[in-house]
């Protein structure tokens, strides 16, 4: 190639990169994962556009669901300076293990949990986390400008030269971006378009884990307060409660104290094995679950032989706040998280949906969002598309790194196994599980699952020549 042509090619490549970096990052889905993407992109002055199926007025609605926040997630919150996140989330000083009949099995101090390093553990309502993230975005989130609510992505097309991705919304609006980050949850339509492509429908099937889960929230009445007292045995702060089933009383129930202003609430969930998939709706804020009086009555019938506390918690929960869902993951756990052209990436449940029994669904999604958008942010300030974080494709490709894919696969499989074990109707399995919770070291019961997220996030920071997350808050 002659020198003149080399100069022309260099100029064209530089111009293409410059044009690409002037485009926004399109984020499909404004749950915790999508909102964290926006917060990190904002930190690095990267323009973004949020697309969310839910109407703006319902974005941070309290649907009763919540998450355990792993150490990596809370360090991300501190790193980003989320407004008053500690004060707004619930911290608990212990985990009280009990049987379904109400017998006390064990108290595990939160400071003994792997990865806590002697610190408190946190949990939060989905709505509280979303509110923190929306407040962090502040006036930079403008409906109709860089945020489109009540619509969803119906199609996308990637330029073959990697310069842009064109996205079509359900209202007919067309957007152009440097990348499309898919944070649409386990029923992601964009995932179907990427992974099924020209193949036959059903080429990327979901896997029903044969488990039904109910969840809800209720205000703590005087009666509930008295029933809860034996479970709150930690010296300081509240205790997260876990009720173990066995052959005669199968299933699993968890209850976490929470506050909303000056009111005390209980966030709870119950799980049972199920041969038939529960009904579904389009309400993705509730994972497509159904709710109402019939759902509540069904759960009350399941719990009729369980201890009074569990029955009272469900009784005190309004029927409109009781949701029932089926638990799903994916049959094929080897699918790529990045499109063949490299401009579209699946994050969180859109990539690796899982049962909640390891508490990693939201935590992995937040790690995905932070790592990818930190890389995109640093790439935004580079003048050349070289190096580990020098291009959009390189930034997104971390999701398909071998270590991350192996961690995701292992976590999904372990979450599936634990879900089936915790809801088993086998008397033998129930006995072994109860004795394990009673006598085994904490590290055997609650392994350092979050370590993979910390490694993934810190690798992104190292590659971007930034300080890694601190060991302690």
């Amino acid at each position: 190639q002659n020198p003149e042509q080399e100069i022309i090619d260099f100029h064209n490549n530089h111009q293409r990169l410059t044009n690409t970096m002037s485009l926004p990052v399109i984020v499909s889905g404004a749950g915790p994962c999508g909102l964290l993407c926006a917060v990190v992109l904002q930190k690095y002055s990267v323009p973004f556009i949020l697309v969310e199926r839910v109407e703006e007025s319902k974005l941070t609605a309290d649907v009763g669901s919540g998450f355990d926040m792993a150490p990596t997630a809370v360090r991300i919150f501190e790193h980003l300076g989320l407004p008053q996140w500690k004060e707004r989330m619930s911290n608990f000083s212990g985990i009280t293990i009990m049987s379904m009949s109400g017998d006390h099995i064990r108290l595990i101090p939160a400071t003994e949990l792997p990865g806590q390093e002697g610190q408190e553990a946190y949990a939060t309502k989905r709505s509280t986390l979303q509110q923190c993230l929306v407040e962090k975005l502040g006036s930079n989130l403008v409906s109709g400008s860089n945020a489109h609510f009540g619509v969803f992505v119906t199609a996308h097309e990637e330029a073959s030269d990697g310069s842009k991705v064109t996205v079509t919304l359900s209202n007919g609006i067309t957007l152009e971006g440097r990348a499309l980050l898919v944070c649409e949850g386990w029923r992601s339509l964009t995932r179907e378009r990427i992974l099924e492509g020209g193949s036959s429908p059903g080429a990327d099937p979901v896997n029903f884990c044969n488990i039904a889960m109910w969840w809800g929230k209720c205000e703590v009445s005087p009666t509930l307060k008295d029933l809860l007292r034996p479970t709150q045995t930690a010296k300081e702060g509240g205790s997260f409660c876990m009720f173990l089933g066995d052959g005669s009383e199968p299933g699993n129930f968890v209850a976490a104290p929470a506050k909303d202003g000056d009111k005390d609430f209980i966030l709870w969930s119950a799980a049972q094995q199920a041969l038939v998939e529960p009904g579904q709706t389009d309400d993705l804020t509730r994972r497509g679950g159904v709710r109402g009086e019939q759902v509540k009555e069904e759960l009350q019938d399941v719990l009729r032989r369980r201890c009074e506390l569990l029955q009272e918690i469900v009784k005190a929960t309004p029927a409109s706040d009781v949701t029932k869902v089926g638990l799903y993951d994916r049959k094929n756990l080897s699918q790529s998280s990045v499109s063949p052209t490299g401009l579209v990436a699946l994050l969180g449940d859109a990539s690796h949906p899982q049962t909640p029994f390891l508490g990693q669904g939201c935590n992995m999604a937040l790690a995905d969002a932070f790592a990818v958008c930190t890389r995109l942010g640093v790439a935004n300030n580079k003048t050349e598309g070289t190096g580990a974080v020098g291009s959009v494709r390189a930034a997104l490709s971390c999701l398909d790194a071998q270590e991350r894919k192996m961690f995701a696969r292992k976590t999904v499989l372990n979450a599936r196994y634990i879900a089936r074990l915790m809801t088993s109707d086998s008397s033998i399995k129930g006995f072994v599980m109860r004795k394990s919770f009673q006598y085994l070291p904490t590290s055997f019961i609650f392994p350092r699952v979050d370590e993979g997220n910390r490694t993934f996030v810190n690798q992104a920071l190292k590659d971007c020549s930034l300080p890694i997350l601190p060991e302690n808050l």
Side-chain angles (χ1 to χ4, degrees):
Q1 192 173 28
N2 61 58
E4 184 177 351
Q5 186 60 47
E6 289 181 357
I7 293 173
I8 293 173
D9 290 345
F10 176 82
H11 172 79
N12 290 339
N13 289 335
H14 185 272
Q15 187 62 45
R16 177 179 60 80
L17 180 64
T18 301
N19 292 340
T20 297
M21 291 308 184
S22 67
L23 293 173
V25 174
I26 301 171
V27 182
S28 180
C33 180
L35 288 172
L36 190 78
C37 284
V39 168
V40 178
L41 292 171
Q42 175 180 273
K43 173 182 172 68
Y44 291 101
S45 301
V46 179
F48 65 86
I49 296 178
L50 268 177
V51 179
E52 171 54 47
R53 180 188 292 263
V54 172
E55 296 291 343
E56 184 176 13
S57 61
K58 298 179 181 178
L59 178 63
T60 60
D62 186 356
V63 297
S65 59
F67 314 108
D68 299 328
M69 293 288 90
T72 301
V74 299
R75 285 162 178 75
I76 289 174
F77 300 156
E78 189 71 10
H79 177 85
L80 296 174
L82 292 195
Q84 297 182 310
W85 71 267
K86 284 186 181 180
E87 293 79 7
R88 300 166 74 171
M89 297 183 185
S90 302
N91 60 2
F92 55 94
S93 296
I95 300 178
T96 300
I97 313 294
M98 305 186 73
S99 70
M100 284 289 200
S101 58
D103 297 328
H104 181 87
I105 296 175
R106 183 176 181 180
L107 170 66
I108 300 177
T111 52
E112 293 183 6
L113 296 176
Q116 293 301 134
E117 281 82 37
Q119 301 179 78
E120 295 174 315
Y122 290 87
T124 183
K125 293 188 292 184
R126 172 190 169 100
S127 57
T128 299
L129 178 52
Q130 286 180 288
Q131 288 163 8
C132 287
L133 293 166
V134 168
E135 288 180 23
K136 183 64 178 178
L137 290 169
S139 59
N140 292 318
L141 187 65
V142 182
S143 180
S145 176
N146 69 341
H148 297 265
F149 296 101
V151 295
F152 55 93
V153 174
T154 58
H156 71 274
E157 182 178 357
E158 299 172 72
S160 59
D161 63 356
S163 60
K164 65 180 180 179
V165 56
T166 302
V167 171
T168 303
L169 305 185
S170 56
N171 60 1
I173 289 178
T174 299
L175 306 172
E176 289 187 345
R178 71 180 77 174
L180 171 60
L181 304 183
V182 183
C183 310
E184 299 170 348
W186 73 274
R187 291 168 64 179
S188 170
L189 296 176
T190 305
R191 175 180 173 126
E192 291 183 12
R193 288 190 293 271
I194 294 174
L195 298 181
E196 294 188 352
S199 62
S200 60
D204 179 42
V206 296
N207 175 62
F208 177 50
C209 298
N210 293 111
I211 296 172
M213 175 169 278
W214 296 257
W215 81 68
K217 63 168 185 171
C218 66
E219 189 171 350
V220 177
S221 64
T223 300
L224 256 183
K225 189 173 183 179
D226 289 339
L227 291 171
L228 280 167
R229 190 169 289 114
T231 71
Q232 301 302 295
T233 52
K235 292 182 179 180
E236 297 180 1
S239 286
F240 181 93
C241 305
M242 179 184 296
F243 296 82
L244 305 179
D246 57 25
S248 61
E249 297 175 335
N252 172 268
F253 196 102
V254 297
K259 278 191 173 292
D260 192 347
D262 59 351
K263 293 184 177 180
D264 292 321
F265 286 85
I266 292 292
L267 301 178
W268 59 266
S269 69
Q272 291 278 315
Q273 290 193 351
L275 297 177
V276 180
E277 296 183 47
Q280 295 183 9
T281 68
D282 291 329
D283 187 354
L284 298 185
T285 62
R286 297 176 182 270
R287 294 183 63 87
V290 295
R291 55 177 172 154
E293 197 64 49
Q294 184 176 352
V295 172
K296 177 177 177 177
E297 290 176 358
E298 179 185 22
L299 179 57
Q300 288 178 308
D301 185 58
V302 169
L303 297 177
R304 69 184 185 277
R305 293 172 52 195
R306 311 308 192 262
C307 67
E308 185 181 0
L309 172 57
L310 305 189
Q311 296 183 51
E312 187 62 32
I313 287 175
V314 176
K315 179 181 177 181
T317 305
S320 59
D321 287 335
V322 180
T323 301
K324 180 184 180 183
V325 298
L327 298 187
Y328 297 85
D329 51 31
R330 290 281 176 175
K331 290 187 177 180
N332 186 347
L333 301 180
S334 301
Q335 296 279 26
S336 173
S337 295
V338 183
S339 64
T341 308
L343 300 183
V344 183
L346 306 173
L347 284 70
D349 279 354
S351 176
H352 35 69
Q354 58 195 271
T355 78
F357 281 81
L358 281 180
Q360 281 297 301
C362 181
N363 288 289
M364 287 185 68
L366 296 176
D368 285 350
F370 182 84
V372 167
C373 292
T374 296
R375 292 175 182 273
L376 284 171
V378 171
N380 187 66
N381 298 320
K382 285 185 173 288
T383 58
E384 296 183 16
T386 59
V389 293
S391 70
V392 172
R393 285 172 170 165
L396 271 56
S397 68
C398 70
L399 294 169
D400 273 343
Q402 183 178 10
E403 186 174 5
R404 185 60 175 174
K405 297 299 288 186
M406 290 177 60
F407 172 71
R409 176 184 174 83
K410 180 179 179 181
T411 303
V412 171
L413 290 175
N414 285 343
R416 184 190 299 173
Y417 170 77
I418 296 298
R420 291 173 177 170
L421 178 64
M422 297 287 280
T423 56
S424 174
D425 57 5
S426 166
S427 297
I428 296 175
K429 289 182 179 179
F431 175 81
V432 172
M433 181 174 61
R434 184 176 300 192
K435 294 302 179 183
S436 297
F437 272 89
Q438 188 171 6
Y439 295 113
L440 285 180
T442 305
S443 59
F444 282 84
I445 303 172
F446 299 103
R448 296 178 67 95
V449 181
D450 186 54
E451 200 63 31
N453 289 325
R454 182 181 299 191
T455 299
F456 181 61
V457 165
N458 281 338
Q459 188 61 55
L461 292 169
K462 290 176 183 177
D463 288 347
C464 295
S465 300
L466 296 172
I468 64 172
L469 297 178
E471 288 295 319
N472 299 304
L473 292 179

